[in-house]
Structures are given as C-alpha cells and as structure tokens.
Amino acid sequence: MTIQIDRYISDNEIEAQAARILQQYGRHYKPIVAPPVPIEEIIDFAVDIPIVRDSISDVQGVQVLAKLVARGHPHPSIEIIVNEDKQLFFDQYMGTEQYSLAHELGHAVLHIDRGSLDTLLLPNTREQGIVLCRMSTEAEHDRNAKRRELQAERFAACILMPQDLLRAACAHVDIYRWPNLYSLKDQFHVTISALTNRLKELHLVTVTPDRKLMPYQDQLAAHSHSLWE
Amino acid sequence: MEFGRRLRDLRKQKNISQRDLAAQVGIDFTYLSKIEGGRLAPPSEDVIRHIAQVLKADEDELINLAGKVPKDLKAVLEENPQAVELLRVLSERKLPDETYRQMLNLARKSDTTPTDEQNKN
C-alpha cells in the first residue's frame, strides 16, 4: 500500500497549505510578524515532525541535503533527516538549510498521507526506515517525481516567504536594485535565487536577460491586440 | 516510552527549541537531535540531570528511562551485596504494590543512621 499522493496540486492550494501551517504556528506558539520564518520550530512544534541530523550517503553520485523518511514498527512515523555532513555548506550559504527543511516539509504536507502510515510494512527496528518522495529513474514515476519536486519547491517558497511579509518588506525598499534584494534575502534567510523566483512569481519584478531588475511586465498583454474595443 | 521520544515531548511542552535546549545544556544540537531521534544512546547522568533542570522535569524519571542507575544508588549497591541480592529477587518476582509498601514501611522503621546508633549506645 502506498502512502504517497501523486496528483496535480494548484499553486493556490500550495500557497493556502503553507499559509494554514503558518497560521497554526502563530495561533499556538508565536505569531510571525517579521522575517525570517522559523521553519525549524514550525516543523518541530506546529507540524510535529522530528528533525534528526544524521549522515546521508550520496544517491547515484548526487549529494543529498535532506530527506523525508518513515521509521518505526509497528507504528511508523515520519522524520526529516538533515545531512549533518553538509553543515559547513549550510553555514556558508545562508538559506540552504532552511530551504531544504521547507522542501521536505512540503513533501510531508502535500505528498504523504500521514493517516495511512500504519499500513506501511517497515522492518521491526528503529534503525531502518524508508525514504519517501525520492526521485525515481523509471520514466513514468519520473514524471510524477518531477511534479512532486516542483510542488515541494513552491511550498518551500510560499512558507519561507509568505506574501504578506514579503510584500510588506518590499514596500519599504527599491526592489529593482540588487543590493536591496541581497539585503532582503538575508532578512528572510533564503538564497538570492529563491527570492528572485518568488518575486517573479508574485509579479513584483522581472529580471531581464542581462540581469537587470525591472517592474513586472505582462509580456502576453503587452504584445497582444485586443479583439474588443 | 523511549528516552528520546519522552525528551522531545518534555522539550516541546516547555516550548524550547532543540537548538536552545542544546545551548543551555552545553551540548551540540546535532547530538541532541540524534538522542531525540533514537539514533544515539541517552547521554551521561550529569547531562540528563542538566537537561531535566532546564526543562524543570523529573530527573529520576529521565534517568530511569535512560536505563541508568543513579550515582547514589550505584554506591549503595556497590557497598552492599545484599541490596543487590534483594533487587535480584524482586526482579524475578511479580509482587503486588501492597508488598512493596510493607517492605518500604519496614525499611523506614528499621532505618538507623550512625548518629541514632551512637545515641542508643
């Protein structure tokens, strides 16, 4: 029996799921009124998923920063494992650890049916578990896996850069200047690429091919001719 | 209940993050995460006591869950082979609570500190 959910999930639904968790944390623990979003505490307290720092081996030559596993017998539970061998990398590149955690949380929220965890047949040991939502090499699964990854990425962006906090922060600075964006990404504890992607998705900026920041322009609207006057 | 799981429950009840608890106790947060996750055995008795103090939890409960014998009891057992024998007999039998109560009362009644003995003499 699978506990994995493979389906189309709209961007709005992903945004709503992230907002729901942020509200849940705010209601029961501490309202989040300014960045950064405390993703570790949200996972630990509001969503109740243990975070364990452990060594993770490369998979087919690819480095793994974090993973989601189900562990325990006869009642499995899910855990997020963060690769402790990458701590230096996490410390060096601000935002990478937070993004990895938020990404795995995205899988847990969007792709795992936690109510059916008991149907998993796991080894009778605490040491072994199974990795959930791992990329597969099989063609059909690969398509689903890629979709899951994109959904988890979007979830990570939504929860680490909630619209209200991001729009409020953008209102006070000139977001068409790179130094200001670098300052913003430090405030939100995200990477510069995560921030610019989020700003583009929210139609707050456009990045030109020569890396200039411009106000958002709807290319389709600009080049289309209305059929009606 | 496992030590790690209980520790995580207690920490969450006090709204203390893994990093904060580790910093207050003076251990690495990655080490604490492994203990909570059941990847590593419980820490030393001193660390457990320190954790319990920070969390305002029952030190003995955590030490028992960790499968450790508190230092003061260990000293008694080392000095008194009969105490070890008594524990062994108790572990082999399933005694009702009432029997334990009677034994405790008996032990308390016959409790004679060195000062009492000297006073009698």
Side-chain angles (χ1 to χ4, degrees), chain A residues 29 40-41 44-45 48-51 53-54 71 79 81 84 97 126, chain B residues 2 5 8 11-12 15-19 29-30 33-34 37-39:
Chain A
Y29 298 96
E40 236 177 67
E41 282 79 3
D44 193 11
F45 293 109
D48 195 22
I49 297 177
I51 301 170
R53 315 276 160 171
D54 210 347
R71 216 163 62 98
E79 287 175 351
I81 315 288
E84 65 174 349
E97 185 173 10
R126 287 288 294 162
Chain B
E2 290 169 28
R5 196 169 290 184
R8 180 164 183 263
R11 178 179 62 72
K12 287 181 65 183
N15 277 359
I16 298 180
S17 72
Q18 247 177 17
R19 285 180 197 255
F29 77 96
T30 62
S33 86
K34 285 198 186 84
R39 302 296 200 284

Side-chain angles (χ1 to χ4, degrees), chain A residues 203 206 216-223:
Chain A
H203 296 173
T206 295
Y216 173 74
Q217 285 177 338
D218 188 336
Q219 297 296 326
L220 198 63
H223 293 101

Side-chain angles (χ1 to χ4, degrees), chain A residues 14-49:
Chain A
I14 294 172
E15 185 101 42
Q17 291 270 28
R20 178 182 60 80
I21 289 170
L22 289 168
Q23 280 169 8
Q24 199 178 321
Y25 178 80
R27 217 171 27 247
H28 295 290
Y29 298 96
K30 211 171 4 175
I32 303 165
V33 291
V37 168
I39 192 68
E40 236 177 67
E41 282 79 3
I42 288 172
I43 294 171
D44 193 11
F45 293 109
V47 196
D48 195 22
I49 297 177

Side-chain angles (χ1 to χ4, degrees), chain A residues 110-177:
Chain A
L110 303 172
H111 305 135
I112 301 300
D113 177 8
R114 287 172 82 181
S116 303
L117 271 175
D118 278 1
T119 61
L120 281 180
L121 295 171
L122 293 183
N124 187 9
T125 163
R126 287 288 294 162
E127 275 66 49
Q128 290 180 42
I130 57 162
V131 181
L132 304 167
C133 299
R134 172 164 278 174
M135 288 287 278
S136 161
T137 48
E138 293 167 46
E140 179 56 24
H141 289 160
D142 203 35
R143 211 181 51 184
N144 284 335
K146 275 181 189 156
R147 185 172 60 188
R148 282 200 309 269
E149 291 306 304
L150 289 173
Q151 290 167 344
E153 287 293 299
R154 179 166 284 272
F155 178 91
C158 292
I159 201 158
L160 292 174
M161 294 167 279
Q163 282 207 40
D164 54 345
L165 290 190
L166 190 57
R167 286 182 191 278
C170 288
H172 301 295
V173 291
D174 177 1
I175 55 170
Y176 309 120
R177 295 189 63 237

Side-chain angles (χ1 to χ4, degrees), chain B:
Chain B
M1 188 186 247
E2 290 169 28
F3 178 84
R5 196 169 290 184
R6 177 68 179 143
L7 176 55
R8 180 164 183 263
D9 285 349
L10 287 168
R11 178 179 62 72
K12 287 181 65 183
Q13 278 169 24
K14 297 287 175 191
N15 277 359
I16 298 180
S17 72
Q18 247 177 17
R19 285 180 197 255
D20 283 348
L21 176 60
Q24 287 186 56
V25 176
I27 56 176
D28 195 275
F29 77 96
T30 62
Y31 175 56
L32 181 61
S33 86
K34 285 198 186 84
I35 292 167
E36 284 191 358
R39 302 296 200 284
L40 286 179
S44 68
E45 184 184 333
D46 289 345
V47 172
I48 294 175
R49 286 196 188 281
H50 200 162
I51 289 173
Q53 282 156 18
V54 173
L55 297 177
K56 297 184 175 59
D58 184 346
E59 294 180 24
D60 287 338
E61 184 212 345
L62 282 180
I63 288 168
N64 284 338
L65 269 180
K68 292 180 189 289
V69 180
K71 276 180 191 164
D72 53 341
L73 290 185
K74 204 183 269 180
V76 171
L77 294 174
E78 279 167 5
E79 286 166 15
N80 194 342
Q82 280 183 312
V84 177
E85 196 183 339
L86 175 65
L87 286 179
R88 197 157 280 144
V89 171
L90 291 176
S91 68
E92 287 162 1
R93 287 164 175 72
K94 174 107 180 82
L95 299 177
D97 288 351
E98 181 53 31
T99 310
Y100 276 102
R101 258 194 297 275
Q102 286 170 357
M103 284 168 59
L104 280 170
N105 285 337
L106 187 67
R108 283 185 182 121
K109 271 181 200 160
S110 60
D111 180 25
T112 49
T113 60
T115 326
D116 292 337
E117 285 291 311
Q118 283 160 10
N119 289 345
K120 275 180 199 170
N121 295 334

